[in-house]
């Protein structure tokens, strides 16, 4: 059965506590993903990764919370 944004399960809140079982392995895989890429290619890969993970999450409230947290500290640096 295909689900869409209106039928997908909802998360209560963004998980910000450590939640990756093997964080060193994740970090290594992330670095490997960018190895050998130009700065522009690396930025493109980051954008694609963000969009893929946002689609996977699918909960707009969680995504807005994540965006707000990620932006903290930059609003005063204009």
């Amino acid at each position: 059965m295909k689900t869409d944004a209106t039928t997908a399960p909802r998360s209560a809140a963004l998980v910000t506590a450590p939640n990756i079982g093997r964080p060193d392995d994740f970090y290594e895989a992330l670095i490997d993903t960018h190895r050998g890429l130009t700065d522009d290619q690396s930025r493109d890969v980051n954008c694609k990764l963000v969009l893929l993970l946002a689609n996977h999450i699918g909960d707009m409230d969680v995504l807005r919370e994540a965006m707000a947290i990620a932006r903290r500290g930059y609003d005063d640096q204009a």
Side-chain angles (χ1 to χ4, degrees):
M1 177 173 114
K2 183 178 178 186
T3 61
D4 61 29
T6 59
T7 60
R10 298 290 178 180
S11 300
L14 178 68
V15 175
T16 57
N19 194 38
I20 298 174
R22 295 176 6 210
D24 291 339
D25 291 346
F26 165 73
Y27 183 75
E28 183 178 353
L30 183 60
I31 295 303
D32 287 345
T33 299
H34 291 271
R35 186 167 284 119
L37 300 179
T38 66
D39 288 347
D40 286 343
Q41 290 170 328
S42 185
R43 280 188 289 274
D44 287 348
V45 166
N46 279 337
C47 289
K48 290 176 184 179
L49 183 58
V50 165
L51 293 173
L52 287 165
L53 293 173
N55 184 65
H56 178 75
I57 292 166
D59 184 320
M60 198 59 203
D61 291 336
V62 171
L63 295 170
R64 281 192 178 104
E65 184 180 359
M67 289 184 275
I69 291 170
R71 189 176 168 110
R72 279 185 195 158
Y74 294 105
D75 290 330
D76 298 333
Q77 297 180 3

